[in-house]
């Protein structure tokens, strides 16, 4: 008998249900769960149910789900914040990340429901491009006399023509010998990844008129064409970027 091998659909299931994790995370931030558990506080399911004014069943499910995501841990005293939640998800802390979670949940998540429309119409869903102007676009020149210009997650907002124009303005604003740093999620030369860079490009379809994520070789070419010399790439692993194109005005 012939054995028919099938591929594993597990990764597709993980991809299809990825929103479960985000919406659980966002709900916990919205109800300030991690702030309630600050400074080592631990609670039982019934305690948090009473405090939040919700039934025990959803309280139990929420706490278990947050623990499974590494946001909470549990011991004999109950559930408490994990180390990452204590540092980044307690409101008022210097590195509080919850504001960004709320931004994604309230602004971007609803807009992404219309992604197919954005793809078909080639128009953003979160802003009105016919009514809004950009300050990187209305000024003919930038203030000059600088030694360094940092463009952090900026150029992916624009099409190539606009991106080149912005780089030209930056070069004019720099002193001789000045450095420009283009910090981005950089695509590889084949435009097949990494996923964070490619998916940020999809977010630009939702958010902008002409933005997309570009490869490091594209940025190097733009930089050279507007008059910078000696570009090199610095790779790193960060929350919002994976590298920087560093170039100099000679």
């Amino acid at each position: 008998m012939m054995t028919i091998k099938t591929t594993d659909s597990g990764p597709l299931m993980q991809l299809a249900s990825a929103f479960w994790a985000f919406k659980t995370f966002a709900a916990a931030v919205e109800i300030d769960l991690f702030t309630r558990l600050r400074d080592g506080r631990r609670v039982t399911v019934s305690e948090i149910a009473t405090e939040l004014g919700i039934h025990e069943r959803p309280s139990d499910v929420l706490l278990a789900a947050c623990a499974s995501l590494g946001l909470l841990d549990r011991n004999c005293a109950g559930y408490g914040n994990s180390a990452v939640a204590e540092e980044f998800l307690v409101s008022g802390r210097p590195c509080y990340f919850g504001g960004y979670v709320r931004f994604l949940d309230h602004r971007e998540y609803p807009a992404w429901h219309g992604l197919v429309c954005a793809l078909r119409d080639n128009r953003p869903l979160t802003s009105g491009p016919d009514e809004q102007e950009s300050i990187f676009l209305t000024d003919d020149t930038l203030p000059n006399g600088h030694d360094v210009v940092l463009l952090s997650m900026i150029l992916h907002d624009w099409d190539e023509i606009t991106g080149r124009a912005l780089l030209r303005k930056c070069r004019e604003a720099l002193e001789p010998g000045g450095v420009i740093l283009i910090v981005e999620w950089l695509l590889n030369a084949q435009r097949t990844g990494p996923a964070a860079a490619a998916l940020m490009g999809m977010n630009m379809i939702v958010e902008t008129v002409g933005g997309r994520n570009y490869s490091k070789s594209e940025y190097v070419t733009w930089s050279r064409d507007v008059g910078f010399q000696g570009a090199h790439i610095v790779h790193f692993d960060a929350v919002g970027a994976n590298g920087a194109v560093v170039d100099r005005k000679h």
Side-chain angles (χ1 to χ4, degrees), residues 194-208:
L199 293 174
M200 177 62 84
M202 290 295 291
N203 196 46
M204 293 302 98
I205 297 295
V206 173
E207 284 277 3
T208 70

Side-chain angles (χ1 to χ4, degrees), residues 61-80:
V61 171
L62 176 64
L63 293 177
C66 287
S68 76
L69 296 174
L71 302 173
L72 299 179
D73 57 40
R74 187 183 187 186
N75 61 21
C76 59
Y79 288 94

Side-chain angles (χ1 to χ4, degrees), residues 18-248:
F19 71 97
W20 296 354
F22 171 70
K23 291 300 285 186
T24 297
F25 180 24
V29 169
E30 189 69 26
I31 63 176
D32 246 356
L33 176 63
F34 309 107
T35 303
R36 294 173 186 273
L37 300 181
R38 68 185 299 164
D39 299 326
R41 183 188 176 206
R42 293 192 172 269
V43 294
T44 64
V45 170
S46 59
E47 286 171 340
I48 202 65
T50 299
E51 186 169 327
L52 295 174
I54 61 178
H55 293 283
E56 286 203 15
R57 182 179 75 94
S59 297
D60 179 48
V61 171
L62 176 64
L63 293 177
C66 287
S68 76
L69 296 174
L71 302 173
L72 299 179
D73 57 40
R74 187 183 187 186
N75 61 21
C76 59
Y79 288 94
N81 284 341
S82 66
V84 69
E86 187 69 16
E87 182 173 359
F88 295 107
L89 298 176
V90 173
S91 181
R93 294 271 164 87
C95 296
Y96 182 59
F97 193 76
Y100 183 61
V101 176
R102 287 190 170 97
F103 165 78
L104 294 177
D105 193 35
H106 291 267
R107 174 187 168 93
E108 299 211 332
Y109 198 88
W112 270 69
H113 284 293
L115 178 59
V116 172
C117 292
L119 291 170
R120 286 175 173 161
D121 298 338
N122 193 26
R123 286 178 62 84
L125 301 172
T126 57
S127 61
D130 297 330
E131 295 81 32
Q132 294 179 317
E133 291 184 329
S134 169
I135 189 172
F136 288 102
L137 300 183
T138 56
D139 290 345
D140 293 331
T141 61
L142 300 178
N144 58 21
H146 299 290
D147 296 318
V148 177
V149 171
L150 169 64
L151 296 178
S152 181
M153 307 294 281
I154 298 296
L155 291 183
H156 69 202
D157 287 338
W158 310 103
D159 58 29
E160 180 175 343
I161 292 174
T162 306
R164 285 172 174 266
L166 288 172
L167 284 179
R168 192 172 292 109
K169 289 180 183 180
C170 291
R171 184 180 183 280
E172 292 169 355
L174 281 169
E175 291 291 299
V179 171
I180 188 166
L181 302 171
I182 303 169
V183 179
E184 291 279 356
W185 278 112
L186 301 170
L187 282 169
N188 59 31
Q190 296 78 28
R191 298 186 66 80
T192 58
L199 293 174
M200 177 62 84
M202 290 295 291
N203 196 46
M204 293 302 98
I205 297 295
V206 173
E207 284 277 3
T208 70
V209 174
R212 67 178 75 182
N213 272 53
Y214 300 94
S215 68
K216 50 192 174 185
S217 59
E218 288 175 292
Y219 285 131
V220 168
T221 299
W222 299 4
S223 180
R224 181 192 63 218
D225 289 350
V226 302
F228 288 101
Q229 298 178 25
H232 65 279
I233 312 297
V234 177
H235 295 282
F236 51 80
D237 184 16
V239 174
N242 66 350
V245 179
V246 183
D247 217 337
R248 186 176 297 276

